[in-house]
Amino acid sequence: QVQLVQSGAEVKKPGASVKVSCKASGYTFTNFDINWVRQATGQGLEWMGWMNPRDGDTGYAQKFQGRVTITSNSSISTAYMELSGLRSDDTAVYYCARDRDALDVWGPGTMVTVSS
Amino acid sequence: DIQLTQSPSTLSASVGDTVTISCRASQSISIWVAWFQQKPGKAPNLLIYQASSLQSGVPSRFSGSGSGTEFTLTISSLQPDDFATYYCQQYNSYSQTFGQGTKVEIK
């Protein structure tokens, strides 16, 4: 079945970077965009950006421009989201999601905690 | 960025009720709206895409309507499993956005 499996929880210090992975299975990875969405505890969903695994094209929310980088390795059907310059308010669950008409398949989420 | 405003923020209802959640966009987004259901500790689940298309496997008591700037999610005959938080999302532009969410609670 179609699924996205994400890497495990991370604890980082302020100013550090984090890289979260998202491995796809059950479909042709290069056929659909991958998006990243985050959610702070008790808060709403916040869209971060997308990438096209076929050609590497990307787009980022203005809020994260310059701090976020989305990449992929098609040979292992895996997308990555790297966020730099971490602050305490980056503490959140980070989700990857496949974009087929809309965000139809989501990963389980990766908890990223930023704490000194 | 396009802003989405959902109303109400919280909705109290009983099993069997029909409930309606509204989503208003700050500019026209044609039909490029999706609706998601989220339960605590879980990833969102796609219910509706392109404003009114029901995602495969989603019960038919969920329906969506609207175009331009005004959109609605309707849940007919609310079931116990439907108590959750609902989000609208626009994907008209390269920069997508979500509404702030509507929590559907048991009355």
Side-chain angles (χ1 to χ4, degrees), chain B:
Chain B
D1 285 357
I2 298 172
Q3 308 301 317
L4 295 180
T5 303
Q6 284 184 237
S7 60
S9 297
T10 305
L11 189 161
S12 296
S14 301
V15 172
D17 286 351
T18 293
V19 301
T20 299
I21 299 169
S22 296
C23 179
R24 174 174 294 177
S26 59
Q27 64 189 74
S28 178
I29 52 176
S30 186
I31 60 167
W32 303 112
V33 162
W35 290 93
F36 297 88
Q37 176 193 69
Q38 188 180 33
K39 296 182 179 180
K42 299 294 187 182
N45 182 48
L46 177 65
L47 302 173
I48 301 287
Y49 63 96
Q50 290 180 22
S52 61
S53 295
L54 188 68
Q55 173 68 0
S56 176
V58 174
S60 58
R61 63 180 180 273
F62 292 93
S63 63
S65 64
S67 65
T69 61
E70 300 284 343
F71 301 88
T72 300
L73 174 70
T74 300
I75 312 172
S76 303
S77 188
L78 202 64
Q79 298 300 299
D81 191 49
D82 301 337
F83 292 96
T85 300
Y86 293 84
Y87 294 92
C88 60
Q89 181 220 16
Q90 68 80 19
Y91 50 108
N92 177 71
S93 66
Y94 278 110
S95 187
Q96 304 179 24
T97 47
F98 288 89
Q100 80 276 19
T102 295
K103 186 175 182 179
V104 177
E105 298 181 326
I106 300 174
K107 184 184 285 185

Side-chain angles (χ1 to χ4, degrees), chain A residues 20-100:
Chain A
V20 180
S21 68
C22 171
K23 182 172 177 60
S25 62
Y27 74 98
T28 302
F29 178 66
T30 52
N31 281 358
F32 304 102
D33 294 350
I34 292 287
N35 284 242
W36 289 87
V37 175
R38 77 177 187 179
Q39 185 173 39
T41 302
Q43 303 301 308
L45 301 169
E46 185 172 33
W47 181 79
M48 299 180 71
W50 63 275
M51 84 160 301
N52 182 330
R54 185 182 298 273
D55 61 15
D57 198 13
T58 56
Y60 303 121
Q62 190 165 4
K63 173 178 180 176
F64 299 103
Q65 287 276 0
R67 279 212 306 145
V68 68
T69 305
I70 301 174
T71 58
S72 69
N73 182 338
S74 298
S75 67
I76 56 171
S77 300
T78 300
Y80 304 92
M81 186 284 301
E82 183 169 21
L83 188 63
S84 62
L86 289 170
R87 307 183 291 254
S88 58
D89 62 357
D90 291 317
T91 295
V93 175
Y94 290 76
Y95 295 102
C96 62
R98 183 181 81 162
D99 191 344
R100 180 178 186 238

